[in-house]
Amino acid sequence: MIRIAIQAKGRLNEESVMLLREAGVTIEASKRKLLARSEDFPLEALYLRDDDIPHAVAMGVADVGIVGLNEVEEKAQAVEVAHRLGFGKCRLSLAIPGNEQYASLAWFEGRKVATSYPRILGRFFAEKGVRADIHKIAGSVEIAPSVGMADAIFDIVSSGGTLISNGLREVETVLWSEAALIVTPGLPAEKQALLAQLLFRIESVERSRGMKYVLMNIPKKRVDQVIKLLPGMKSPTILPLAQEGWCSVHVVIRENELWTKIEQLKTLGAEDILVLALEKMIK
Ligand code: ATP
Ligand code: MG
């Protein structure tokens, strides 16, 4: 049995639960308890605030966890980052009131900066030789300058919309973050094996993202040209059709190339093209 800590509610919760479900690990969604056992994998989920996940994993209260790298860096606990998950992408940036002139980091010298990430910011300022006053607050960081609580802020940004609506301007990016799977160092062998199994499944799910399974009918005499166009996983699958002179081609295509490839295939005589969702790509 392996125990995974995931965010109880918030931006990472839904995608964490969905990723596990796609990996064949279903956790009871209704009437959520703090600890929920999976029905189909030897795993239990421990629902926590994201701030508490690095510590829980470092202590071994949970064996693994899904949390933003921003929290992993800030909490500086002894955990290993086993895999980046590609969701919950954001950055930690410094922002100042929009009407301020800004030339360099020297602007921050002697200023008061509000943040929920004092460790990351402290380290950054120390590296850059800036002496600023870091003021830790737990939330509503972006209103701190307008209410006179601070001169600037250091906070999470994704689109930048929140900053703009609070009259702030992003001037420096300090850390790029995304959700990651973190692990207790020195996991016992039995749990290592479950973790390896889980990672294998997660990687199969990730590989299939943005991929489509495409089937089409092609005149046999064009098959060589079609193969050149479509490399596929190994090579495309070609099946004969009952109708003389035609065959069926099956191939995996990256979604962002889909329309270009389909147009090229049509000029080669492809007909009856079916595009299907691809759930998993298992190597
Ligand atoms: P908790 O109650 O668990 O402490 P929280 O309020 O601290 O939740 P959320 O706002 O739910 O945190 O964000 C959780 C994580 O999601 C952040 O630590 C960050 O890694 C990521 N994140 C935050 N804001 C964004 C955003 N705008 N876009 C994408 N990811 C984000
Ligand atoms: Mg939090």
Side-chain angles (χ1 to χ4, degrees):
M1 172 85 86
I2 194 166
R3 186 184 286 166
I4 186 166
I6 57 183
Q7 196 190 19
K9 48 180 187 284
R11 290 175 192 271
L12 301 180
N13 167 272
E14 210 171 294
E15 285 194 82
S16 305
V17 173
M18 201 164 58
L19 176 69
L20 290 172
R21 191 186 312 130
E22 286 174 316
V25 182
T26 322
I27 308 159
E28 186 192 347
S30 63
K31 275 207 302 167
R32 230 179 240 156
K33 296 165 274 180
L34 282 182
L35 197 58
R37 176 71 224 271
S38 165
E39 301 145 20
D40 39 21
F41 194 82
L43 171 148
E44 56 187 3
L46 174 63
Y47 292 102
L48 295 177
R49 291 220 26 202
D50 72 340
D51 314 57
D52 297 331
I53 293 176
H55 189 224
V57 172
M59 288 199 314
V61 169
D63 306 302
V64 297
I66 296 179
V67 68
L69 290 172
N70 52 317
E71 288 298 330
V72 177
E73 284 289 313
E74 180 61 25
K75 297 301 185 299
Q77 296 285 319
V79 297
E80 285 162 13
V81 174
H83 192 72
R84 292 173 173 243
L85 297 167
F87 60 86
K89 284 197 171 165
C90 58
R91 55 193 189 271
L92 280 178
S93 291
L94 281 160
I96 66 171
N99 55 5
E100 287 277 340
Q101 294 287 327
Y102 184 83
S104 74
L105 274 174
W107 186 94
F108 290 95
E109 195 65 37
R111 307 262 190 163
K112 192 167 176 182
V113 185
T115 187
S116 311
Y117 298 90
R119 186 192 298 262
I120 297 173
L121 182 59
R123 197 177 55 199
F124 176 73
F125 278 156
E127 271 168 21
K128 303 288 179 185
V130 175
R131 279 155 308 161
D133 174 13
I134 298 173
H135 180 59
K136 186 184 174 182
I137 53 179
S140 309
V141 173
E142 58 284 352
I143 62 151
S146 61
V147 298
M149 218 195 289
D151 302 308
I153 66 161
F154 176 62
D155 203 10
I156 286 180
V157 184
S158 62
S159 68
T162 313
L163 289 184
I164 293 167
S165 59
N166 284 286
L168 297 169
R169 177 158 67 99
E170 185 177 3
V171 290
E172 306 280 346
T173 299
V174 174
L175 183 93
W176 294 90
S177 179
E178 66 187 271
L181 191 74
I182 58 168
V183 183
T184 309
L187 218 52
E190 168 228 352
K191 293 186 180 200
Q192 285 274 6
L194 289 173
L195 172 63
Q197 210 177 331
L198 191 63
L199 276 171
F200 176 83
R201 293 185 184 193
I202 289 174
E203 283 163 13
S204 301
V205 171
E206 286 171 345
R207 221 174 278 130
S208 72
R209 292 225 170 107
M211 300 296 232
K212 295 287 171 197
Y213 192 77
V214 181
L215 300 83
M216 74 208 87
N217 294 332
I218 296 270
K220 262 197 182 128
K221 57 179 194 287
R222 295 282 170 74
V223 162
D224 288 346
Q225 284 165 279
V226 168
I227 290 176
K228 272 197 209 116
L229 198 63
L230 303 172
M233 276 203 266
K234 285 199 171 58
S235 65
T237 307
I238 318 267
L239 300 169
L241 287 189
Q243 191 182 339
E244 195 54 39
W246 283 80
C247 58
S248 168
V249 174
H250 298 201
V251 73
V252 174
I253 299 184
R254 201 166 276 290
E255 196 164 15
N256 57 9
E257 307 180 314
L258 187 68
W259 289 108
T260 327
K261 292 280 185 205
I262 284 181
E263 279 146 19
Q264 292 168 331
L265 288 162
K266 279 177 74 71
T267 62
L268 289 175
E271 289 181 9
D272 312 318
I273 303 172
L274 300 181
V275 179
L276 309 182
L278 190 61
E279 248 185 52
K280 307 207 167 56
M281 277 173 72
I282 299 164
K283 293 233 162 160

